[in-house]
């Protein structure tokens, strides 16, 4: 599916972050733009202090994850190749305050865990694409597969999700 990176262009679930204490979102996409582009999440509100929820996004050819309780993002450490798919997954447990993030492109893995989460609910549905974050860019990203779990997965569990996704996508000729 090709999704415009402008806000309001997303595959939207009916699961709200305010309805669960833990969740994991995983997806495989092709970042066709170096513009600021929300790939998945439920990031809502304006940029900066008033934004809520979380998002996985690209900017200037890099992959980032942000969890909004303050202005902060993780540079995932992958310089994205815009002609190769990338896997990304973010797992949040609001009770234990643990966040796990995994990304993979062209065989390069990135993983990070933090234990100091203060998550601010957006009360917005989880989505693949840009559901609500303000953007006027008109480029598109390709979304190949997305999965939402209503539980927080460990790094090893996320890697198993990536491996199963890799096997399914290889049958379609998509390699990541």
């Amino acid at each position: 599916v090709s999704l415009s990176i402008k806000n309001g262009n997303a595959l939207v679930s009916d699961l709200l972050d305010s309805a669960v204490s833990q969740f994991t979102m995983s997806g495989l996409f092709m970042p066709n733009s170096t513009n600021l582009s929300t790939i998945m999440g439920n990031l809502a509100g304006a940029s900066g202090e008033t934004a809520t929820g979380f998002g996985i996004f690209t900017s200037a050819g890099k992959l980032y994850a942000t969890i909004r309780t303050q202005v902060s993002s993780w540079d995932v450490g992958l310089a994205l190749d815009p002609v190769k798919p990338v896997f990304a997954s973010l797992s949040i447990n609001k009770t234990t305050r643990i966040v796990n993030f995994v990304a993979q492109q062209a065989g390069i893995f990135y993983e990070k865990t933090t234990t100091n989460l203060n998550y601010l609910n957006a009360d917005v549905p989880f989505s693949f694409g840009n559901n609500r974050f303000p953007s006027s860019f008109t480029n598109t990203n390709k979304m190949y597969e997305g999965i939402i779990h209503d539980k927080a997965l460990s790094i090893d569990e996320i890697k198993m999700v990536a491996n199963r996704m890799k096997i399914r996508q290889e049958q379609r000729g998509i390699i990541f």
Side-chain angles (χ1 to χ4, degrees), residues 121-143:
N121 288 332
D123 205 26
V124 171
F126 297 125
S127 63
F128 295 96
N130 186 0
N131 188 14
R132 303 262 176 109
F133 196 74
S135 173
S136 59
F137 295 117
T138 58
N139 306 66
T140 61
N141 287 319
K142 287 184 182 176
M143 185 72 200

Side-chain angles (χ1 to χ4, degrees), residues 96-117:
T96 63
R97 301 178 63 199
I98 295 174
V99 177
N100 291 314
F101 186 81
V102 174
Q104 180 187 10
Q105 187 182 49
I108 299 170
F109 261 105
Y110 171 89
E111 60 185 65
K112 181 173 179 122
T113 297
T114 185
T115 58
N116 60 354
L117 169 73

